[in-house]
Amino acid sequence: MVSFTRYFARLQLNLAAWLRLFLLLAGLMGALGTHAAGIKTIKTEADILPPRIELFARFTVSLNPELDEALRNGLTLPFVYEFKLTKPRLYAWYRQVAEGFGPNATATHRLSFQPLTKQYRIAAAGVVRHFNSLDEALTALGTLKNWVVMDGADLQSEDFAGKLRLRLDGSQLPKAFQLSTIGNTNWQLESGWSEIQLRRPAETEPVQ
């Protein structure tokens, strides 16, 4: 009876030790997860307003410590929205050939940090916005409204399909950074292409 009691006590100690180890590892994994960089697609939508198309999107953007440090040290991070038409197929193929098989439209948003004011800045299409925190800046960076693409194409909603993505464009970084980040996954942020959905009338937002 005494030996059984000792065995049971040792078993409890072992289980307690394993439980503490599990909680420690879970905490470490959670901490690592909070620092993982990436871009995730929430939604990508379009309003078809012949003769133009307006795009709306929402992404979550997060930076890892290496990108955060580079940003705070004065490096501007260029993020690019890219749109690709996929339907009507014949017209989409024609546009791909005419535009060198690249995206049909791009929009660059430049994220920077101002050390004197301790503010973050996003510059896009001649408009500059300032934010008091990185979270606010990244939320704004991942929000796209009323982006006009394919102006003059006169496409109808039943004929339209397209894709959208957001990525960090390493080709726009200074040459020294381009060379030093080759093969570094910390600098390869991309949402991947997402199919664009047509918006319902109730979802229409005013132009800002």
Side-chain angles (χ1 to χ4, degrees):
M1 184 68 178
V2 174
S3 60
F4 177 77
T5 302
R6 290 177 178 174
Y7 171 77
F8 185 72
R10 287 198 299 270
L11 180 61
Q12 285 183 310
L13 288 174
N14 289 335
L15 288 175
W18 278 109
L19 179 59
R20 287 195 296 270
L21 179 60
F22 173 78
L23 292 175
L24 177 62
L25 291 174
L28 289 174
M29 293 299 292
L32 289 174
T34 60
H35 293 295
I39 304 176
K40 295 183 180 179
T41 306
I42 304 300
K43 66 177 181 180
T44 54
E45 298 174 320
D47 272 341
I48 310 301
L49 306 169
R52 71 183 189 276
I53 300 168
E54 291 188 3
L55 300 184
F56 302 78
R58 197 173 300 277
F59 297 85
T60 57
V61 184
S62 56
L63 305 182
N64 56 42
E66 185 174 347
L67 289 173
D68 190 9
E69 181 180 5
L71 182 65
R72 288 178 175 272
N73 286 335
L75 181 68
T76 296
L77 300 180
F79 288 84
V80 179
Y81 282 95
E82 294 180 331
F83 163 74
K84 182 183 296 184
L85 183 72
T86 58
K87 185 181 175 183
R89 296 185 187 279
L90 183 60
Y91 182 64
W93 177 83
Y94 163 75
R95 290 297 296 260
Q96 284 287 297
V97 173
E99 293 158 6
F101 297 97
N104 297 109
T106 62
T108 300
H109 294 235
R110 301 182 185 278
L111 174 65
S112 60
F113 178 69
Q114 307 300 307
L116 293 179
T117 61
K118 304 296 183 183
Q119 288 187 319
Y120 294 86
R121 184 175 73 173
I122 294 178
V127 177
V128 178
R129 293 178 291 167
H130 295 86
F131 305 91
N132 293 323
S133 71
L134 179 59
D135 286 342
E136 291 175 342
L138 293 178
T139 297
L141 177 66
T143 302
L144 181 69
K145 293 182 179 180
N146 304 103
W147 182 29
V148 177
V149 297
M150 308 295 293
D151 198 8
D154 199 20
L155 299 175
Q156 302 301 313
S157 57
E158 61 270 18
D159 298 326
F160 169 82
K163 296 180 179 181
L164 183 69
R165 72 175 176 180
L166 175 62
R167 65 184 181 89
L168 175 64
D169 187 2
S171 68
Q172 296 190 45
L173 293 172
K175 294 296 183 181
F177 273 92
Q178 291 184 35
L179 294 175
S180 64
T181 58
I182 292 177
N184 187 343
T185 57
N186 287 336
W187 291 79
Q188 297 173 8
L189 271 65
E190 182 183 326
S191 66
W193 290 103
S194 179
E195 295 287 343
I196 298 172
Q197 306 298 317
L198 294 180
R199 304 181 86 209
R200 296 186 294 272
E203 296 176 328
T204 302
E205 302 178 19
V207 176
Q208 297 182 354

